[in-house]
Amino acid sequence: MREMPMFPLGAVLLPGEQLPLRIFEPRYAAMVPDVEAAGGQFGTVLIERGSEVGGGDVRAMVGTVAQIARITQAGPGRYSLLCNGISRITVHEWLPDDPYPRAMVDDLVDAVGEEIDWTVLLERRAQLRLLCGQGGRRDPQLKWIASQLTKPVSYETDDPVEASFRAASDLPLGPADRHSVLSAPDAATRVEVIETALDDLIAALRFRLKG
């Protein structure tokens, strides 16, 4: 267990993703030099209720380690960061937000799960692309979703943990579903979580397109 600076967010960073951040709030401006001096890593978690600005939020207990890849000072107390999602952490205890959010955390390593069957997920992905492509003729948002699903994907030959996170990153999932993906105990369960989220999304889009 170790103490780690934390940045609660209104979005979920998954391992393997990039995260751009604009820092302007004083507590996070104070955090940046400390993080940079200690190797450039901090934790991110989803804000379940509340706002990124001002504190008083309710925070998730599973998060992601972010590694600063690029930092630019944009003025006094202002920074632009580009970060990479590295690995999962679980929060055991939140410490006082003084001078910035901190927590006692542990690494959260995937358990050994069953072998992944990608068939259902790839079928659902194709259904979503077809559905959004049809609806996108009159709905710009659906057209945009369809455009995000045009590139061919293959997950079977990749590391299963990395592939399971990449599968979630490739899809238009909301924060709650992305947090469920992040919290899944192993890669096979993670893929099942994605499949359930796609089922719900496809059902909602079909209902919407009937209107």
Side-chain angles (χ1 to χ4, degrees):
M1 194 179 303
R2 64 192 185 277
E3 181 179 323
M4 177 168 275
M6 302 294 292
F7 200 130
L9 296 167
V12 175
L13 174 66
L14 299 177
E17 291 183 333
Q18 288 195 323
L19 173 70
L21 284 176
R22 291 184 178 273
I23 307 296
F24 57 88
E25 196 176 351
R27 57 183 176 159
Y28 296 122
M31 185 180 86
V32 169
D34 290 351
V35 169
E36 190 177 19
Q41 291 190 352
F42 59 94
T44 68
V45 291
L46 176 66
I47 296 174
E48 296 180 326
R49 291 195 304 277
S51 169
E52 291 183 9
V53 179
D57 45 23
V58 176
R59 304 162 183 172
M61 301 299 282
V62 173
T64 304
V65 175
Q67 173 72 54
I68 297 177
R70 187 173 69 239
I71 179 169
T72 305
Q73 187 154 10
R78 291 178 175 269
Y79 300 89
S80 293
L81 307 181
L82 180 63
C83 309
N84 296 319
I86 301 299
S87 58
R88 297 193 299 165
I89 50 174
T90 184
V91 175
H92 289 278
E93 179 186 2
W94 284 99
L95 304 174
D97 285 11
D98 183 17
Y100 44 74
R102 298 167 298 130
M104 299 302 297
V105 306
D106 252 340
D107 294 324
L108 182 56
V109 180
D110 267 43
V112 177
E114 298 178 2
E115 186 175 349
I116 300 174
D117 181 356
W118 294 100
T119 305
V120 174
L121 186 145
L122 293 173
E123 288 175 351
R124 296 292 187 275
R125 193 180 188 278
Q127 290 174 16
L128 180 63
R129 178 184 174 187
L130 180 61
L131 190 62
C132 290
Q134 293 170 344
R137 297 174 189 145
R138 60 182 186 275
D139 189 317
Q141 183 181 7
L142 297 187
K143 185 177 180 179
W144 177 84
I145 293 175
S147 72
Q148 304 304 299
L149 302 173
T150 54
K151 69 175 182 178
V153 295
S154 176
Y155 304 114
E156 292 87 343
T157 60
D158 295 341
D159 174 89
V161 174
E162 293 180 5
S164 64
F165 283 120
R166 184 159 59 84
S169 298
D170 287 342
L171 294 163
L173 305 181
D177 286 327
R178 284 169 61 86
H179 186 257
S180 295
V181 167
L182 183 66
S183 303
D186 57 71
T189 303
R190 189 169 298 119
V191 171
E192 292 174 359
V193 169
I194 299 170
E195 291 167 359
T196 299
L198 286 178
D199 285 341
D200 293 343
L201 178 57
I202 289 168
L205 290 177
R206 283 176 174 160
F207 180 80
R208 175 177 171 181
L209 290 171
K210 286 180 181 180

